[in-house]
Amino acid sequence: RRVGFELDPGGNLRPTVLENLTGTELTEALWAYVRRAQSGSGDAELVIGSAKNLEEATVRHILKELTGDYETVGPASHFPITLYQAFYALGLSGSSVTLDKDPYRALQQALFLLACAVNRLRNDRGDGHGRPEPSITTVLEGRLSSQSAGLVCELLLTALKATPR
């Protein structure tokens, strides 16, 4: 479980399905995905898709944990708004035209923008949306997306742990 897999009673190893988890169990699974994202992979398309999915799953989990229901918080189709709501719920600094004078809040703002960029890059170059043509994703784009998603989700999950509920 610590690395995002489960062993069933028949001895089969398979990835943990996030949709079947809630609460602390989901938080632990997301941490496992963060560690995997930060280590990267050779399949750039898959890595970018996984980075986007990790960000979205983490944001939705945080909103469910803090507000009780993700669906009532905002439109599911607009990631930057949902991400902003998670940052706001955690007391973190989201997007702004100018960076905050406090260096740590400025870093939070930069990570917010980084998460939005990973999401956009996956939509532009990833393997989703049923595209028939091959992706133009580079290995560097995949690695940067993966490591970026890991940083963003590490910030969010650490803030969630520190947030009184």
Side-chain angles (χ1 to χ4, degrees), residues 39-113:
S39 67
S41 173
D43 184 344
E45 287 180 10
L46 180 63
V47 170
I48 286 178
S50 296
K52 179 186 179 207
N53 292 342
L54 172 61
E55 288 177 349
E56 290 176 350
T58 301
V59 166
R60 289 178 180 149
H61 171 60
I62 285 166
L63 291 173
K64 279 187 174 184
E65 287 293 305
L66 297 180
T67 67
D69 188 11
Y70 161 71
E71 298 303 326
T72 62
V73 177
S77 62
H78 198 60
F79 179 73
I81 290 173
T82 308
L83 177 65
Y84 181 81
Q85 290 168 333
F87 267 66
Y88 181 79
L90 292 167
L92 300 173
S93 187
S95 178
S96 177
V97 176
T98 58
L99 290 178
D100 196 286
K101 290 181 182 185
D102 177 281
Y104 185 60
R105 304 242 343 136
L107 180 61
Q108 293 169 7
Q109 291 170 310
L111 287 171
F112 176 90
L113 294 173

